[in-house]
Amino acid sequence: MALDPQVVAWRAARETAGAAPLYTQTLAEARAADLAAIRAGTGAVEPVEEVRDTHVPGPGGPLPVRIHRPAGDGPLPTLVYFFGGGWTLGSVDTADGICRRLANATPCQTVTVGYRLAPEHRFPAAVDDCYAALRWLAGHAEEFRVDPDRLAVGGDSAGGNLAAAVTLLARADGGPRLAAQLLVYPNTDQRPGPAPAADEDPLLFNRHSVAWYRRHYLADPADAAHPLASPLLAEDLSGLPPALVITAEHDPLRDEGERYAARLREAGVPTELTRYDGMIHGFFAMPGVFDAGKRAQEQAAAFLRRRFGSDPVGSAAGAAVGGSDHG
């Protein structure tokens, strides 16, 4: 279907403002523009009971983490969240709005991991950081007030890629045991696809964007074949945690995200897949602009409630909220 009217209006505003594609900017410019765009699109900042910035050990040094906690004492179900940004942009700040809403709506504790960025630190540095942080949190559950039996991972875009990679590592290592994985328009296949078309819309995330991020992240194009870079290429996906995969209709990453959901299902992993029709890459982080972003975040919270066992009704109403299942 056509672009959602809210996307059309947002695109027109970008055109009027003369917005430049991130892939035409310097790294410093792109990082600042990415954060500004997310802050502009996230809507009102939701208060949460507690927000705390701290660090955990990582393979390259201390890793910043931001913790959001809803009301309640003692250990809580916990979502370890990895922000998007093509492994090149982003920080714990760019996921702040998402994590505030998920912390309140689920409710659960969220921990955002400030992994190292490319091109300063290329693959597999981000994967190593995310997995190290997950293991540290699980191993220090009492200190971080984590319920180790209700621990999940999630992320959007490159963060979804990292969440998927972390589940593969956790399975290979025999833990931490994960209750769920939340994958929002994830990169799952780093192999170069068709060359970008001449009519790629520069005001939307497009194949030029995908290639720009890939060039920053992979030191060697051959790394695209590694399952920790391209989880879709993993030989076996069985035994992974139950998944919710969210995709956007007008997103160059749509098909690889949906293929990954299909492979998870084929491997026997309980998997929900929703495509948000009319939407574009990035909508999940912009509930202040797109109503579908609000619905998708509500769906994510409902999924987490079910997987954490805090929704005794077990309603599946969130499985196709605002979009369509393409299983």
Side-chain angles (χ1 to χ4, degrees), residues 48-50 68-73 76 103-104 107-110:
V48 295
E49 184 72 14
E50 178 185 348
H68 296 88
R69 280 182 66 89
D73 296 326
L76 289 176
N104 286 333
C108 69
Q109 176 174 244
T110 65

Side-chain angles (χ1 to χ4, degrees), residues 9-319:
W10 175 81
R11 184 198 175 282
R14 284 174 55 78
E15 185 171 30
T16 299
L22 295 177
Y23 55 81
T24 67
Q25 301 180 36
T26 67
L27 275 178
E29 291 169 342
R31 286 169 177 168
D34 178 62
L35 177 57
I38 289 174
R39 283 178 167 165
T42 196
V45 176
E46 281 198 14
V48 295
E49 184 72 14
E50 178 185 348
V51 181
R52 180 164 66 97
D53 287 311
T54 186
H55 291 79
V56 298
L63 295 171
V65 296
R66 177 167 295 169
I67 300 168
H68 296 88
R69 280 182 66 89
D73 296 326
L76 289 176
T78 299
L79 171 67
V80 182
Y81 197 84
F82 310 123
F83 55 81
W87 312 275
T88 303
L89 317 177
S91 68
V92 296
D93 290 323
T94 56
D96 190 73
I98 292 172
C99 289
R100 285 172 180 271
R101 286 185 171 85
L102 293 180
N104 286 333
T106 303
C108 69
Q109 176 174 244
T110 65
V111 182
T112 311
V113 178
Y115 56 85
R116 289 172 291 172
L117 297 178
E120 297 91 338
H121 305 280
R122 296 180 185 264
F123 172 82
V127 180
D128 292 342
D129 287 354
C130 291
Y131 187 51
L134 174 68
R135 287 184 59 86
W136 183 265
L137 291 163
H140 296 77
E142 184 174 352
E143 175 187 349
F144 287 91
R145 295 185 287 172
V146 170
D147 181 345
D149 295 322
R150 294 189 292 172
L151 183 62
V153 293
D156 57 294
S157 194
N161 165 277
L162 294 168
V166 160
T167 69
L168 295 172
L169 287 170
R171 182 189 62 180
D173 284 354
R177 187 173 69 252
L178 297 170
Q181 54 179 319
L182 169 64
L183 310 180
V184 181
Y185 33 74
N187 304 73
T188 65
D189 188 352
Q190 298 280 29
R191 295 173 298 179
D199 62 351
E200 294 273 357
D201 191 334
L203 293 171
L204 303 179
F205 183 88
N206 59 40
R207 296 191 187 282
H208 291 290
S209 311
V210 175
W212 186 75
Y213 289 124
R214 184 188 299 119
R215 288 195 300 271
H216 283 95
Y217 186 48
L218 301 180
D220 183 340
D223 287 338
H226 197 295
L228 295 182
S230 299
L232 186 65
L233 304 184
E235 291 185 9
D236 178 18
L237 298 181
S238 63
L240 295 178
L244 170 61
V245 181
I246 289 173
T247 63
E249 181 183 12
H250 300 281
D251 181 357
L253 302 182
R254 183 195 73 193
D255 291 348
E256 64 191 72
E258 293 179 1
R259 286 198 300 271
Y260 193 66
R263 282 211 55 211
L264 287 170
R265 284 174 169 168
E266 291 165 4
V269 176
T271 302
E272 300 174 25
L273 166 65
T274 301
R275 177 192 295 178
Y276 279 77
D277 294 328
M279 280 294 112
I280 56 172
H281 191 86
F283 82 97
F284 185 82
M286 301 176 69
V289 176
F290 304 127
D291 291 341
K294 296 178 186 175
R295 295 196 301 271
Q297 290 188 7
E298 290 165 359
Q299 178 185 3
F303 166 75
L304 291 170
R305 281 197 299 275
R306 293 194 298 276
R307 300 319 312 180
F308 288 147
S310 51
D311 183 3
V313 176
S315 169

